[in-house]
């Protein structure tokens, strides 16, 4: 849309103390094309806050704290667009009237922002010689807001044109292509003239004239094109013409062949690739895991392996146009001789971000630092288009004690993990272990955790053939609670640590290499049998809370089982529920309990109570949640009687929730107490009228607002 006035000469900020435009009769003159800023805080206004006459005809809740402008359009102005930005307060509105409040004005147009402080705008046709009154106001405390206002006058309306996805399904490179655009709205034009030009300004394809909405195709665009553009010319006013593009089409892609592979930087941001119009080389291989091998639209990249020996290659990015990719990775002897390729990695459909989960991720270990590796990207089932691609070093999730990887959540008397790697591990503050025979001052360590009841425990760590490891055992992360360590073996020799658990709960295992080998290691733990005969005990983080599951092998004289939780596994154990047992049983019995209010990391244990009142504690387990702080879920929605609200919070806090109807009026409020983790709140809405409502709830960054429908 072209503007009559496009000069933004300067902007100024003027707070209410110097421009106290708190009533309509002293309104500030609106100047289109120049940003005007103000603050309505402390203004009295013309619409009384007690709801008495006169009331705001657009929304009677936005009273008392107005900041006023006046505007009279000149000759030839068809429309005014007003945008409010830099808003400091929720529930801010902009209101356009045809007179001052004392003269019973009509509401011309208005817009309010219920959920955030993002920009709001209104646009309306104007009549020459008519004076309009413009108010900026807020609803409810805190009264007043600071803001900046931009007004734009327009003479014409642009046609509305959109560009659909590129329509050519090209397995081979054509000499010309057709390009289709969508004419969504002619606006005030009788017809549009559509043409295309190449990068030099010469005609590129056959256009034409249209006087209707719908699809319009420009035909016979020569290929390739480094940049071509489409001009949509307006019949009545050339200032309303629009230009689409420039568009680029490499045909075939520059990295269509292996020898022309594009270099990727490890750990850089993702690059955007495209396999449109790509072709298969003679004898070009395809990934062994690909379901449609042989139908290739592939392009090539390469990277130099880092000294950490491991990378993740990924097309797993949200909203990537070509979501159905597959990846193969090769070593290459000679790029001109495709028989020298040796495949070392392959993936199809392991990604999570695409609508159907069909992006790809390849993880590679034991690479040779400094060597080049080649990546083949293809579209599954002949799909072509743009994709995102990155190569990044792997960061171990258990690099710190606080993020220890679970080795055992008691599922019997033993547990193991195979093919663990020290890749990109960093040094913790623990330093070298006292038993370290070769004095490794700043070792790069990894951490594991097991959960055990009282008794002897054995941990074995089997290194690679060229690796020498040290193992330390700790009863706590911070402060350090050292228990045992081992550095008895040498290169390639298994380290064994036997220690006694004196306090049921978490035990942490620290492992590091004396010198980097890029080789994997295995770790096992052996625990004594549980005296309370638990067969299974685990907790699973689900969308609406944590599911606690356990089973017993036998029960004698039992009455019920308490479920206890703690945020740290050391103190603050609270009973969160109980489950009646079968009483007497010599067969496996299954139990479950759902925790709707878990912490970000929740420790659980069971207290088995007999009929005579005696009890016995189990070992503890933990469940970690990955909820994004501030994430808010309402269900059911639409709701009948009781609305369940779940919000994730990063700290403990208290606050007030509000329920507001579509007009901005408060319908209900209450107090909430939030803890670190997932919080569940049940609100009775049975008495609400049918309609749309907004829930305003405190969160980490102020407030979260989400709508729901009352049936």
């Amino acid at each position: 849309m072209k503007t009559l006035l496009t000069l933004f000469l300067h902007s100024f900020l003027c707070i209410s103390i110097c421009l106290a435009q708190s009533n309509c009769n002293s309104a500030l003159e609106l100047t289109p094309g120049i940003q005007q800023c103000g603050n309505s805080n402390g203004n009295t206004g013309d619409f009384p806050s007690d709801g008495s006459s006169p009331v705001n005809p657009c929304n009677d809740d936005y009273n008392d704290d107005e900041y006023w402008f006046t505007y009279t359009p000149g000759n030839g102005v068809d429309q005014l667009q007003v945008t409010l930005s830099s808003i400091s307060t929720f529930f801010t509105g902009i209101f356009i009237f045809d007179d001052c409040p004392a003269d019973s004005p009509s509401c011309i147009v208005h817009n309010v922002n219920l959920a955030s402080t993002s920009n709001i705008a209104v646009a309306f046709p104007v009549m020459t010689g008519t004076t309009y009154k413009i108010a900026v106001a807020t609803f409810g405390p805190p009264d007043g807001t600071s803001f900046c206002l931009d007004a734009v006058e327009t003479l014409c309306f642009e046609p509305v044109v959109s560009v659909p996805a590129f329509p050519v399904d090209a397995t081979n490179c054509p000499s010309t292509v057709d390009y289709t655009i969508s004419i969504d709205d002619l606006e005030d034009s009788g017809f549009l003239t559509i043409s295309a030009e190449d990068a030099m300004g010469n005609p590129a394809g056959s256009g034409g004239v249209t006087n209707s909405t719908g699809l319009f195709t420009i035909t016979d665009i020569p290929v390739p094109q480094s940049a071509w553009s489409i001009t949509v010319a307006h019949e009545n006013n050339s200032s309303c013409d629009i230009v689409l593009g420039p568009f680029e089409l490499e045909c075939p892609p520059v990295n269509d062949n292996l020898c022309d592979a594009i270099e990727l930087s490890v750990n850089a941001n993702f690059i955007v690739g495209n396999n449109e119009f790509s072709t298969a080389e003679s004898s070009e291989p395809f990934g062994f895991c690909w379901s449609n091998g042989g139908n290739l639209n592939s392009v090539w990249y390469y990277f130099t392996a880092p000294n950490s020996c491991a990378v993740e290659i990924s097309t797993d990015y949200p909203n990537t146009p070509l979501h159905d990719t597959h990846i193969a990775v090769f070593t290459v002897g000679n790029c001109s001789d495709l028989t020298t390729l040796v495949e070392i990695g392959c993936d199809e459909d392991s990604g999570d971000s695409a609508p159907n989960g069909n992006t790809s991720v390849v993880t590679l270990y034991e690479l040779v630092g400094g060597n080049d590796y080649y990546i083949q990207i293809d579209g599954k089932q002949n799909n072509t288009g743009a994709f995102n691609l990155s190569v990044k070093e792997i960061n171990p999730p258990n690099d710190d004690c606080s993020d220890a990887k679970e080795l055992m959540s008691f599922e019997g008397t033993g547990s193991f993990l195979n093919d663990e790697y020290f890749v990109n591990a960093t040094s913790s503050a623990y330093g070298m272990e006292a038993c370290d025979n070769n004095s490794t001052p700043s070792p790069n360590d990894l951490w594991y955790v097991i959960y055990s009841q009282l008794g002897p425990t054995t941990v074995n760590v089997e290194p690679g053939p060229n690796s020498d490891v040290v193992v330390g055992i700790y009863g706590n992360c911070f402060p350090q609670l050292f228990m045992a360590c081992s550095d008895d073996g040498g290169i390639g020799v298994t380290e064994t640590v036997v220690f006694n658990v004196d306090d049921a709960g978490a035990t942490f295992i620290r492992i590091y290499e004396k010198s980097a080998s890029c080789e994997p290691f295995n770790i096992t733990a052996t625990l004594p049998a549980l005296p309370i005969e638990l067969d299974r005990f685990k907790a699973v983080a689900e969308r609406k809370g944590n599911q606690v599951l356990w089973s017993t092998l036998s029960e004698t004289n039992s009455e019920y089982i308490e479920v206890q939780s703690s945020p740290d596994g050391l103190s603050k154990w609270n009973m969160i529920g109980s489950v009646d047992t079968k009483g007497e049983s010599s067969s496996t019995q299954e139990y479950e309990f759902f925790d709707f209010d878990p912490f970000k990391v929740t420790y659980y244990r069971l207290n088995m109570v007999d009929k005579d009142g005696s009890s016995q504690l189990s070992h503890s387990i933990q469940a970690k949640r990955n909820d994004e702080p501030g994430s808010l879920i309402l269900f059911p929605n639409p709701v009948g009687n009781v609305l369940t609200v779940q919000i994730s919070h990063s700290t403990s806090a208290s606050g007030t929730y509000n329920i507001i109807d579509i007009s901005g009026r408060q319908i209900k409020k209450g107090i909430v107490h939030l803890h670190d983790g997932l919080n569940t709140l049940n609100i009775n809405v049975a008495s609400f009228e049918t309609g749309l409502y907004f829930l305003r709830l405190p969160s980490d960054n102020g407030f979260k607002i989400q709508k729901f429908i009352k049936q």
Side-chain angles (χ1 to χ4, degrees):
M1 190 175 287
K2 308 297 180 180
T3 65
L4 178 65
L5 295 177
T6 58
L7 295 177
F8 291 87
L9 301 178
H10 67 279
S11 63
F12 61 90
L13 177 66
C14 190
I15 60 176
S16 59
I17 190 171
C18 64
L19 286 177
Q21 309 302 336
S22 63
N23 59 74
C24 185
N25 290 327
S26 62
L28 179 69
E29 187 74 29
L30 182 71
T31 306
I34 296 179
Q35 188 176 78
Q36 295 170 273
C37 301
N39 193 323
S40 63
N41 187 33
N43 287 2
T44 56
D46 292 342
F47 295 124
S49 61
D50 60 7
S52 59
S53 183
V55 297
N56 186 335
C58 295
N59 188 317
D60 58 10
D61 285 322
Y62 288 76
N63 296 333
D64 189 51
D65 57 329
E66 305 102 30
Y67 194 108
W68 288 90
F69 295 85
T70 184
Y71 166 72
T72 303
N75 292 330
V77 178
D78 293 329
Q79 176 177 268
L80 183 72
Q81 178 176 313
V82 182
T83 301
L84 211 62
S85 62
S86 302
I87 303 168
S88 64
T89 307
F90 288 169
F91 300 98
T92 295
I94 184 168
F95 305 89
I96 314 297
F97 309 102
D98 58 5
D99 214 334
C100 286
D103 298 313
S104 301
S106 297
C107 177
I108 303 299
V109 67
H110 77 287
N111 195 3
V112 298
N113 193 340
L114 297 178
S116 70
T117 58
S118 58
N119 297 355
I120 53 178
V122 295
F124 60 101
V126 298
M127 296 181 62
T128 302
T130 301
T131 297
Y132 298 88
K133 304 297 182 180
I134 303 171
V136 178
T138 59
F139 163 71
D143 288 334
T145 184
S146 60
F147 64 90
C148 285
L149 184 148
D150 293 279
V152 177
E153 295 172 320
T154 63
L155 278 175
C156 70
F157 295 88
E158 288 181 354
V160 180
V161 182
S162 59
V163 181
F166 196 83
V168 178
D169 180 13
T171 301
N172 299 302
C173 183
S175 59
T176 63
V177 295
D178 298 341
Y179 205 90
T180 299
I181 61 176
S182 175
I183 310 297
D184 301 320
D185 196 335
L186 293 171
E187 292 293 351
D188 61 349
S189 174
F191 62 84
L192 301 173
T193 301
I194 301 171
S195 59
E197 294 181 345
D198 62 18
M200 303 302 294
N202 301 313
S206 300
V209 176
T210 183
N211 62 356
S212 62
T213 59
L215 298 179
F216 184 92
T217 300
I218 302 170
T219 61
D220 300 324
I221 301 172
V223 177
Q225 289 282 343
S226 60
W228 84 93
S229 59
I230 300 171
T231 299
V232 181
H234 193 277
E235 173 192 13
N236 298 323
N237 192 332
S238 61
S239 66
C240 293
D241 294 351
I242 59 175
V243 177
L244 306 174
F247 303 101
E248 180 178 347
L249 176 61
E250 292 287 350
C251 189
V254 294
N255 56 334
D256 189 31
N257 294 335
L258 175 62
C259 287
D260 297 317
I262 295 175
E263 183 177 7
L264 299 176
S265 298
V266 178
N267 296 325
N269 291 333
F270 68 81
I271 60 98
V272 179
N274 198 311
N275 72 329
E276 285 182 314
F277 306 109
S278 59
T279 59
E281 294 182 72
S282 177
S283 302
E284 182 173 341
F286 53 86
F288 76 90
C289 68
W290 296 358
S291 59
N292 67 322
N295 298 320
L296 291 175
N297 299 104
S298 58
V299 286
W300 290 90
Y301 301 86
Y302 77 95
F303 68 96
T304 302
N307 292 330
S308 63
C309 312
V311 298
E312 178 184 87
I313 303 167
S314 176
T315 60
D316 188 27
Y317 287 91
N319 303 317
T320 183
L322 179 60
H323 70 266
D324 211 346
T325 59
H326 39 207
I327 299 175
V329 186
F330 300 87
T331 60
V332 176
N334 182 347
C335 69
S336 298
D337 182 1
L338 299 185
T339 64
T340 65
L341 275 66
V342 178
E343 185 173 336
I344 63 170
C346 185
D347 183 62
E348 181 177 86
D349 299 352
S350 291
D352 297 325
S353 294
N356 300 315
N358 291 329
T359 52
S360 300
V361 180
V362 173
T363 302
L364 299 173
Y365 290 95
E366 302 182 63
L367 301 176
V368 178
N371 282 11
D372 291 338
Y373 296 87
Y374 286 75
I375 305 169
Q376 183 187 28
I377 304 291
D378 189 35
K380 187 178 177 183
Q381 305 298 335
N382 297 326
N383 283 335
T384 62
F387 56 86
N388 300 328
L389 174 65
S390 65
V391 180
K392 296 185 177 180
E393 289 183 278
I394 297 169
N395 295 315
N398 54 330
D399 196 25
D400 296 316
C401 183
S402 57
D403 297 317
K405 185 176 182 179
E406 187 176 285
L407 174 61
M408 173 179 287
S409 177
F410 194 79
E411 296 272 355
T413 59
S415 182
F416 64 92
L417 293 172
N418 284 336
D419 293 337
E420 297 291 291
Y421 288 87
F422 291 100
V423 171
N424 260 6
T426 60
S427 178
S428 65
Y430 284 57
M432 69 178 182
E433 294 290 346
C435 64
D436 187 342
N437 295 325
N438 289 344
S439 299
T440 311
S442 299
N444 298 331
D445 48 17
L446 296 176
W447 291 85
Y448 298 83
V449 61
I450 60 175
Y451 302 100
S452 172
Q453 78 284 4
L454 305 182
T457 304
T458 302
V459 170
N460 291 299
V461 179
E462 178 187 357
N466 300 296
S467 176
D468 188 3
V469 298
V470 179
V471 182
I473 309 296
Y474 291 82
N476 194 16
C477 281
F478 303 103
Q480 299 177 11
L481 181 59
F482 174 78
M483 296 175 62
C485 74
S486 176
D487 185 26
D488 296 330
I491 296 175
V493 178
T494 298
E495 297 290 346
T496 299
V497 188
V498 180
F499 55 95
N500 194 64
V501 177
D502 297 322
D503 184 16
T507 302
F508 296 90
I509 304 167
R510 180 192 185 212
I511 307 172
Y512 63 81
E513 262 188 321
K514 292 187 175 182
S515 59
S517 69
C518 292
E519 294 178 345
F521 64 90
N522 303 326
I523 177 172
T524 64
T526 304
L527 308 177
L530 280 172
I532 58 174
E533 294 194 82
L534 274 179
D535 181 42
R536 179 175 62 116
F537 181 25
K538 67 178 182 179
V540 180
E542 298 185 352
R543 183 170 178 263
K544 296 180 180 180
N546 291 349
Q547 181 85 347
V548 184
L549 305 164
W550 71 93
S551 61
T552 62
L553 291 174
S554 64
E555 298 175 14
T556 302
N557 200 39
S558 62
E559 184 157 357
Y560 63 91
I561 298 176
E562 292 180 349
V563 182
Q564 300 179 357
S565 73
S566 168
D568 56 15
L570 301 174
S571 60
K572 300 179 183 178
W573 287 99
N574 294 310
M575 186 184 77
I576 58 174
S578 64
V579 178
D580 291 338
T581 61
K582 302 298 186 292
E584 300 290 334
S585 174
S586 58
S587 60
T588 300
Q589 302 295 332
E590 303 286 343
Y591 297 93
E592 62 181 37
F593 178 85
F594 201 86
D595 181 7
F596 287 96
D597 290 281
F599 302 100
K600 183 176 181 180
V601 178
T602 309
Y603 291 82
Y604 296 99
R605 69 184 183 187
L606 304 176
N607 186 29
M608 300 187 70
V609 181
D610 291 346
K611 291 180 179 179
D612 61 8
S614 61
S615 63
Q616 186 175 24
L617 287 172
S618 74
H619 63 283
S620 64
I621 60 173
Q622 68 170 230
K624 294 183 179 180
R625 302 190 62 83
N626 295 318
D627 304 308
E628 181 180 353
S631 60
L632 179 63
I633 303 171
L634 307 182
F635 61 92
N637 192 4
V639 60
N641 296 323
V642 178
L643 179 69
T644 299
V645 181
Q646 290 193 315
I647 185 168
S648 178
H649 209 259
S650 63
T651 60
S652 296
S654 297
T656 301
Y657 74 83
N658 308 87
I659 295 180
I660 301 159
D661 68 12
I662 191 62
S663 68
R665 289 175 294 186
Q666 178 174 283
I667 304 301
K668 189 171 186 174
K669 70 177 181 179
I671 303 298
V672 292
H673 302 285
L674 305 177
H675 62 74
D676 174 14
L678 185 65
N679 299 264
T680 300
L681 176 67
N682 294 312
I683 302 176
N684 191 327
V685 296
S687 62
F688 287 21
E689 295 181 359
T690 300
L692 177 66
Y693 294 86
F694 295 88
L695 172 68
R696 183 175 183 260
L697 195 67
S699 72
D700 288 84
N701 297 320
F703 290 91
K704 294 287 279 188
I705 297 178
Q706 190 158 321
K707 63 184 178 181
F708 67 92
I709 298 173
K710 171 64 172 66
Q711 290 178 328

